[in-house]
Every structure is written in C-alpha cells, then in structure tokens.
C-alpha cells in the first residue's frame, strides 16, 4: 500500500521532477525526467535534496529508496543546462550544495538502478548506500567524451570503490561497465533480473526497515567513515559508535528479545 506524502514542487514546464511516496517505513523517491533519461538539472537536484531531508526527518521512515525508471537511472548532469555556463557562473550557482545536502542524509539510501547510470548519474548512485542494479544497467563516467571530467565525486568515490586501475580505465576511456562487471568490481551491491530491479530493492529496503532505525543510521555513519580515515582512526570511531548504541533502548530490546526468543520491537531510540 503506497500513500503520497509531500507533493514534489512543480517545475516551470509543469513536470514533476521527482515523485515521492511512502510504503510502510520506506520512503520512495523516483527521478522523473524520462524524456532526457533523468538528466540531473539543478531544479531536480534541489527537489531531490529537499525530499531526502523530509524523509530523513520523518520518524516513520527508516530507509529511503531512490529509483530511476527501467531505461535510465540517470544519464548524467543535464548537458544542455551546462553547455553555455562559464567557470564563474558555475561557481556562483554552487550546484554542488544540493549534493552535499544528500551526503548529509543519515538514513540508509537504497538505489534501484536500471539502464543508464552515467556521469552525475553514476555519482548520485555512489552517494547511495546499497545499490541494487538491474542486469541491464550501464554504468560509467563518460564526461571525457564531452571535454570535461567527473565533478560530483566521480574521480574520488569511483576510485575508492573499484581501485585506481579500473577507475582510470572507466574515466579516461568513457566506456560503460555492464552490471556484471560493476558487481565484480565492487561498485554495486547486487545484480538482479531486469523485471525485478525495483521490487528487489524495495524488498531489501523493507528488510532493513525492520532493524533498529538508530543502529541503521549509526552503522551507515561508521561504514562511510572508512573512506575518510586511517584504519586506526576508523576502528576508534567504530568502537565509540558501538559503545554509543549501548545507550539506546533498541540495544536493550534487541538483545533481550534474542535471549527471550522473541522478535524485537525497535523504537529508534
Ligand atoms: N543531459 C541532457 N540530456 C540528455 C542527457 C544528459 N546527460 N543524456 C541524454 N539526454 C537526452 C538526449 O539529448 C535525448 O534528448 P532528445 O530526445 O531531445 O534528443 C534523450 O535524452 C534520449 O537520449 P538519446 O537519444 O541520446 O538516447 P540513446 O539511447 O541514443 O543514447 C546515451 C543514450 C548513451 C545515454 C546518450 O544519451 C548519452 O551519451 N548521454 C550523455 C551521457 C553523458 O555524457 N553523461 C555525462 C554528463 S556530464 C556530467 O554528468 C557531469 C557530472 C558532474 C557535475 C554534476 C552536477 C553539476
């Protein structure tokens, strides 16, 4: 059963750039510019960040699911929108601010990826936490074909995800990885048949949503730290967060439920 929540803002051409709904404890957002393969323009990114923040603040939502459509997750930043920009206008409009807002979302984000995930689309995918890819997914950073380079984290997150040799191969040639190659390289979590990519991602989101909402957020925080610290600092950070969870009711409930052989009732506190 799905119910519409916050109405996404209409854009000038009356298209809804994203569609948002809830399904139990899962907040679902769909990118909605199918005619341009969900190209990411600043208005869409703004609506996306705002809706992510709405779900992040909603205590009934435990997990966020972000999806494109069957043909495209997102084929990149909107090239038409960028073509005539100057360095100064790009600087002034600071469109990465919306990306930073998405990076700050605490709840886990599951990506349901089918078709093209290119350029900024690949970078948006890498901002998500668990990536379920259809076998049809084509993933790449083809900015080199249009005279630029990745700018929303591609050179950094892709390299951390798949290593320097493969990242160089992808970024400097502009070639696309198949879903299978992306899975083998550690870029996506799972590959599923194309008919099931959305349902498989939703099923996983619901499985996750049954866990302690607090533990989900803190575990996400700890895993992401692995990209930012030395091993020793990361282990120290993890240990502190692990201790912190012992201040939660969910830790008591989860462990007592195990001992008492019953299902836990988590409250997110
Ligand atoms: N931007 C704008 N429009 C797009 C984009 C895009 N990234 N991708 C596709 N479209 C449009 C096409 O122009 C076309 O529109 P129309 O029907 O009006 O001609 C429509 O979507 C369908 O596309 P195609 O007809 O080209 O479909 P094909 O199946 O033949 O090809 C491809 C699909 C291979 C995906 C092809 O469209 C393509 O190469 N697209 C561009 C991919 C690309 O270069 N992406 C990187 C863009 S740059 C970027 O992402 C920088 C990110 C860093 C900054 C982030 C925020 C600032």
């Amino acid at each position: 059963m799905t119910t519409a929540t916050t109405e996404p803002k209409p854009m000038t051409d009356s298209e809804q750039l994203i569609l948002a709904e809830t399904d139990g404890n899962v907040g679902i957002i769909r990118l909605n510019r199918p005619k341009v393969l969900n190209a990411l323009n600043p208005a869409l990114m703004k609506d996306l960040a705002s809706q992510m923040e709405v779900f992040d603040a909603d205590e009934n939502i435990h997990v966020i699911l972000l999806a494109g459509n069957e043909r495209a997750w997102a084929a990149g930043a909107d090239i038409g929108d960028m073509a005539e920009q100057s360095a100064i206008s790009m600087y002034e409009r600071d469109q990465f601010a919306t990306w930073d807002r998405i990076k700050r979302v605490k709840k886990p984000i599951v990506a349901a990826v089918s078709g093209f995930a290119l350029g900024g689309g690949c970078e948006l995918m890498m901002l998500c936490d668990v990536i379920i890819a259809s076998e049809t997914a084509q993933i790449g950073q083809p900015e080199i074909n249009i005279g630029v380079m990745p700018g929303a984290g591609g050179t950094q997150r892709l390299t951390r995800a798949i290593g320097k040799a493969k990242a160089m191969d992808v970024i400097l040639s502009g070639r696309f990885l198949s879903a299978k190659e992306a899975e083998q390289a550690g870029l996506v979590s799972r590959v599923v048949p194309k008919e099931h990519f959305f349902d498989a991602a939703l099923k996983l989101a619901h499985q996750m949503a049954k866990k302690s909402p607090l533990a989900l957020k803190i575990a996400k925080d700890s895993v992401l730290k692995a990209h930012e610290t030395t091993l020793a600092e990361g282990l120290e950070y993890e240990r502190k967060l692990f201790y912190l969870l012992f201040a939660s009711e969910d830790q008591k409930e989860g462990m007592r439920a195990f001992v008492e052989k019953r299902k836990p009732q988590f409250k997110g506190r």
Side-chain angles (χ1 to χ4, degrees):
M1 176 77 74
T2 58
T3 46
T5 49
T6 315
E7 281 289 307
K9 287 179 216 117
M11 66 179 293
T12 41
D13 62 4
S14 78
E15 196 182 82
Q16 288 193 314
L17 301 171
I18 59 161
L19 304 172
E21 61 187 318
T22 59
D23 185 14
N25 297 119
V26 178
I28 303 171
I29 306 174
R30 296 171 197 261
L31 305 175
N32 188 40
R33 297 188 78 206
K35 287 184 194 148
V36 287
L37 308 182
N38 289 333
L40 306 168
N41 64 9
L44 181 150
M45 291 306 298
K46 205 167 159 205
D47 285 358
L48 178 59
S50 298
Q51 186 60 52
M52 287 265 179
E53 285 166 350
V54 167
F55 283 149
D56 210 29
D58 182 343
E59 64 176 25
N60 293 316
I61 297 300
H62 300 177
V63 176
I64 299 168
L65 173 60
L66 180 58
N69 55 49
E70 208 174 302
R71 185 165 178 225
W73 158 263
D78 190 320
I79 300 170
D81 170 71
M82 289 185 297
E84 302 308 323
Q85 296 291 332
S86 68
I88 302 300
S89 66
M90 287 297 276
Y91 174 80
E92 292 292 354
R93 70 179 185 167
D94 187 21
Q95 64 196 88
F96 296 113
T98 49
W99 293 71
D100 293 342
R101 286 166 62 195
I102 296 170
K103 180 173 170 272
R104 284 196 293 273
V105 169
K106 290 195 168 75
K107 290 175 184 169
I109 306 171
V110 176
V113 177
S114 176
F116 300 112
L118 305 174
C122 180
E123 290 166 316
L124 180 63
M125 182 190 88
M126 291 190 289
L127 261 187
C128 300
D129 302 308
V130 185
I131 301 164
I132 302 300
S134 155
E135 60 200 353
T136 64
Q138 296 188 66
I139 302 169
Q141 297 283 165
E143 290 91 339
I144 204 79
N145 297 332
I146 53 171
V148 288
M149 58 176 273
T155 63
Q156 303 305 301
R157 289 202 178 90
L158 189 69
T159 306
R160 282 167 167 79
I162 67 178
K164 177 198 158 196
K166 220 164 180 71
M168 286 287 193
D169 173 9
V170 169
I171 291 168
L172 301 185
S173 73
R175 79 178 178 90
F176 303 163
L177 298 173
S178 67
K180 198 170 163 208
E181 193 178 358
E183 186 188 30
Q184 282 165 351
L187 182 57
V188 305
S189 314
R190 303 181 199 174
V191 178
V192 297
K194 64 176 192 297
E195 310 77 37
H196 304 308
F197 84 97
F198 184 83
D199 291 344
L202 185 60
K203 190 173 168 202
L204 176 66
H206 277 296
Q207 275 171 9
M208 289 164 57
K210 291 195 183 91
K211 318 295 178 195
S212 159
L214 188 66
L216 284 174
K217 287 190 278 194
I218 292 183
K220 165 175 171 165
D221 181 5
S222 196
V223 173
L224 287 176
K225 204 70 173 177
H227 277 174
E228 320 237 347
T229 61
T230 63
L231 178 60
E233 286 163 350
L235 289 170
E236 193 58 33
Y237 191 75
E238 177 191 76
R239 197 162 300 170
K240 289 193 171 126
L241 292 181
F242 182 69
Y243 292 151
L244 181 65
L245 284 172
F246 281 74
S248 71
E249 289 179 28
D250 282 356
Q251 173 268 328
K252 297 284 172 304
E253 170 63 9
M255 292 193 179
R256 283 175 189 157
F258 179 83
V259 172
E260 292 163 14
K261 301 194 185 305
R262 61 175 174 79
K263 285 205 165 138
Q265 301 289 324
F266 291 122
K267 293 182 180 148
R269 54 179 191 252

